[in-house]
Amino acid sequence: MAVASAAQLRWLKIGVFVLACYPLLRLIFLGVTDGLGTNPIEFITRSSGTWTLVGLMLTLTVTPLRQLSGWNSLLRVRRMLGLFSFFYACLHFITYIWLDQFFDFAAIIKDVYKRPFITVGFSAFVLLIPLALTSSNNMIRRLGARRWQLLHRLVYVIAILGVLHYAWLVKKDLTQPLIYAAVLTVLLGWRVLHRRR
Amino acid sequence: MLIRSTKDIPSSEITPEAVYLRRRQFMQAGAVVAAGALLPGVSEASVRLAAVVNNRYSTPEKQTPYKDVTTYNNYYEFGTDKSDPAENAQNLKTRPWTVSIEGEVKHPKVWDIDALLKAFPLEERIYRMRCVEGWSMVIPWVGIPLASLIRQVEPTGNAKYVEFTTLHDPAQMTGQRRAVLDWPYIEGLRLDEAMHPLTILAVGLYGQTLPNQNGAPIRLVVPWKYGFKSAKAIVRIRFTEQQPATAWGRSAPSEYGFYSNVNPAVDHPRWSQAKERRIGEFFKRDTLAFNGYGDQVAQLYRGMDLRKYY
């Protein structure tokens, strides 16, 4: 179990890729079949936001799971999960800029400046960009493993900002954001405890 | 010289007679069709209501489809998702139902809903509805002008506000099992706002009885205010000297003021109110002051700083 064969690894990667495409394919299917509901733009915004958060949580689950199971091959899908999170974050961001605000940059800048939940969400998105750009093997080599790792610890900050973004936008019922906050607390708390040991 | 009352609706809003007549024909034709056959998603209990179309207070804008009005709305008594009310409100029992009129009035009364429906003539009013979250609809309500009911109970000189209370019954209203808001839902108007001819108690939608998810059997509709002012499933109307403590006002006073007039110049902390998305349209449109009813209602707020009294 500790080391997967090349074939096992390939299937694991294909499986994760297909699962990660599901939210996008679902959106396309619903869009084509008129299934996006009464407020389609809100639906796409929410869906892409949700899957960005889920993606981030799954990316952060890889390390604890690997340490618990000893299955080191899991590391090989972490990059894919991270990049899918970035992909859904882009979709979320583009939906806001294009479909929601329709490139009304005056309104967008005002929103980013005035509304804390948008400021926080926008910051999280901007911080994701360098991580996505440095995700290739070549970039790891060029940066050096230590510096690369240091940079990619930004994902902890990004995940916290992402959950905060969600919590802040909710009008009253905090149940969903609190679930993400609880999961994130476990994932980050585990790391703290693991390092102390 | 032409003297025109500011209360009058602008001529652009008056439905041309031909359209009006056609609509009446449509309504009459609809009356012979079995309830529920005409419109999809109507519960079996829905009944056609004999209502007179009131052109004076109706907009000729394109109406939001029945399906959207009845499957996408906020009604936290049944859950916080906009799809929750349609899913969870079906078991609400709207008969028997009473509405108690109390407080600073000469003739307090407990109305049986069916008696109330018979006692006042019903009108159809096609109103814009603007939600504080930045979306809007155009809805053909059927209702009773609140002023008619108020005149009958004769408020005393102490009555300055009207408080509306929603049913509190967690057994039926599943959203009330959690303290999302401090139940029951309470809303309020100043007496002159309540008396304004635009303010109605709605009992129907699209010519039929109100679906449960839209506030059956009776709800408030105040078209120049954000949607949450319009309390649903009303069981008590109380006349008071003090300004009522509204549910949203108690929950977040810095976000939900007592007046909550639609105002593109005053942002909510989370939503700019400058624009809105009309359900069914791709581009956002500019939000109008008082939701476009300024000609009729602006004088109610003369001399008030609406940034302070938001």
Side-chain angles (χ1 to χ4, degrees):
Chain A
M1 193 66 172
V3 179
S5 71
Q8 278 176 325
L9 191 61
R10 196 168 66 234
W11 281 112
L12 178 69
K13 281 187 167 181
I14 291 172
V16 170
F17 186 87
V18 170
L19 286 177
C21 281
Y22 164 76
L24 176 69
L25 295 174
R26 174 171 167 264
L27 275 180
I28 294 170
F29 174 77
L30 290 173
V32 171
T33 57
D34 195 24
L36 292 174
T38 298
N39 195 342
I41 295 169
E42 180 188 71
F43 188 101
I44 298 168
T45 308
R46 295 226 148 188
S47 172
S48 54
T50 299
W51 288 106
T52 304
L53 275 180
V54 170
L56 284 171
M57 300 296 144
L58 287 174
T59 311
L60 287 171
T61 307
V62 168
T63 294
L65 205 61
R66 182 178 65 95
Q67 287 163 340
L68 283 169
S69 68
W71 197 20
N72 288 320
S73 307
L74 278 172
L75 258 187
R76 309 288 290 269
V77 296
R78 186 172 65 180
R79 168 163 43 190
M80 199 196 292
L81 287 169
L83 283 172
F84 264 108
S85 309
F86 180 66
F87 171 75
Y88 286 110
C90 287
L91 196 62
H92 188 63
F93 184 71
I94 291 167
T95 307
Y96 169 71
I97 299 277
W98 183 13
L99 299 181
D100 191 41
Q101 300 287 346
F102 207 76
F103 308 112
D104 181 350
F105 287 105
I108 292 166
I109 289 165
K110 227 177 115 191
D111 250 7
V112 171
Y113 172 73
K114 253 186 107 168
R115 272 165 252 298
F117 86 92
I118 293 180
T119 319
V120 164
F122 182 74
S123 312
F125 177 71
V126 169
L127 289 176
L128 265 176
I129 295 170
L131 305 202
L133 291 178
T134 57
S135 65
S136 66
N137 288 337
N138 188 24
M139 285 306 289
I140 298 174
R141 225 173 296 123
R142 278 173 64 182
L143 279 171
R146 278 199 78 84
R147 268 189 291 172
W148 184 89
Q149 200 181 24
L150 202 64
L151 176 68
H152 279 249
R153 289 217 171 107
L154 266 180
V155 73
Y156 306 143
V157 178
I158 291 164
I160 293 168
L161 292 176
V163 173
L164 194 62
H165 168 65
Y166 187 18
W168 226 325
L169 92 95
V170 166
K171 191 157 67 174
K172 190 66 201 168
D173 183 5
L174 278 171
T175 314
Q176 293 276 345
L178 284 176
I179 292 171
Y180 286 102
V183 170
L184 186 60
T185 306
V186 170
L187 291 173
L188 296 184
W190 199 88
R191 284 170 165 81
V192 172
L193 293 176
H194 193 77
R195 286 193 76 166
R196 277 214 190 123
R197 234 180 279 152
Chain B
M1 193 173 89
L2 183 71
I3 298 168
R4 210 169 145 263
S5 154
T6 52
K7 281 180 190 168
D8 278 350
I9 201 139
S11 61
S12 63
E13 300 239 318
I14 293 172
T15 312
E17 194 184 2
V19 175
Y20 162 63
L21 288 174
R22 235 181 294 132
R23 194 160 55 203
R24 293 207 73 178
Q25 267 173 6
F26 169 76
M27 301 260 315
Q28 280 156 5
V32 295
V33 178
L38 189 65
L39 298 159
V42 179
S43 74
E44 284 171 52
S46 82
V47 174
R48 282 210 80 79
L49 297 167
V52 175
V53 182
N54 191 325
N55 291 317
R56 194 177 150 85
Y57 299 115
S58 286
T59 165
E61 286 167 271
K62 186 171 171 279
Q63 294 166 34
T64 306
Y66 182 86
K67 185 175 168 286
D68 292 338
V69 177
T70 54
T71 55
Y72 184 89
N73 65 332
N74 286 311
Y75 193 172
Y76 277 23
E77 281 86 335
F78 292 107
T80 51
D81 263 17
K82 280 185 268 295
S83 54
D84 285 341
E87 281 167 30
N88 302 333
Q90 299 315 317
N91 296 327
L92 176 72
K93 279 208 185 71
T94 58
R95 294 294 187 283
W97 190 279
T98 55
V99 182
S100 135
I101 319 278
E102 52 191 73
E104 295 289 346
V105 287
K106 288 187 189 131
H107 315 291
K109 179 170 175 133
V110 177
W111 273 103
D112 172 75
I113 185 73
D114 291 312
L116 182 68
L117 279 167
K118 278 185 207 119
F120 297 94
L122 300 180
E123 287 183 18
E124 188 185 64
R125 309 275 191 100
I126 302 155
Y127 283 163
R128 288 179 288 274
M129 206 282 295
R130 170 66 155 76
C131 177
V132 70
E133 296 166 353
W135 50 271
S136 63
M137 295 182 173
V138 176
I139 305 176
W141 299 107
V142 174
I144 301 161
L146 180 57
S148 318
L149 192 126
I150 293 178
R151 274 189 212 103
Q152 206 192 48
V153 294
E154 288 187 57
T156 68
N158 291 333
K160 297 199 171 54
Y161 296 91
V162 191
E163 177 191 86
F164 302 85
T165 306
T166 295
L167 178 70
H168 185 209
D169 182 1
Q172 294 191 78
M173 297 183 135
T174 47
Q176 289 179 337
R177 291 174 198 169
R178 293 172 48 220
V180 177
L181 287 167
D182 187 6
W183 309 112
Y185 195 94
I186 287 172
E187 257 309 336
L189 296 172
R190 221 169 50 193
L191 186 60
D192 59 343
E193 296 178 319
M195 292 290 290
H196 192 279
L198 281 170
T199 306
I200 59 169
L201 287 171
V203 296
L205 181 68
Y206 268 98
Q208 314 238 9
T209 45
L210 215 50
N212 286 355
Q213 61 267 35
N214 293 93
I218 189 162
R219 65 168 292 173
L220 187 64
V221 175
V222 195
W224 71 93
K225 292 177 183 281
Y226 294 118
F228 68 86
K229 286 298 285 184
S230 297
K232 304 181 183 82
I234 293 168
V235 292
R236 190 169 71 216
I237 300 175
R238 198 161 67 92
F239 291 75
T240 64
E241 196 168 359
Q242 304 297 325
Q243 182 174 298
T246 67
W248 279 108
R250 277 177 293 155
S251 155
S254 61
E255 299 185 13
Y256 306 96
F258 177 78
Y259 287 94
S260 299
N261 292 315
V262 175
N263 190 342
V266 177
D267 281 352
H268 182 277
R270 261 161 302 181
W271 304 287
S272 160
Q273 299 299 2
K275 289 187 173 189
E276 67 197 53
R277 174 164 290 108
R278 178 68 52 84
I279 291 302
E281 290 180 3
F282 181 74
F283 292 106
K284 286 188 174 175
R285 52 168 75 206
D286 289 340
T287 286
L288 303 170
F290 299 109
N291 202 21
Y293 298 96
D295 284 352
Q296 294 119 289
V297 301
Q299 93 280 351
L300 295 176
Y301 309 100
R302 200 164 283 149
M304 282 173 77
D305 178 0
L306 293 179
R307 288 188 168 270
K308 193 176 163 208
Y309 297 99
Y310 54 87

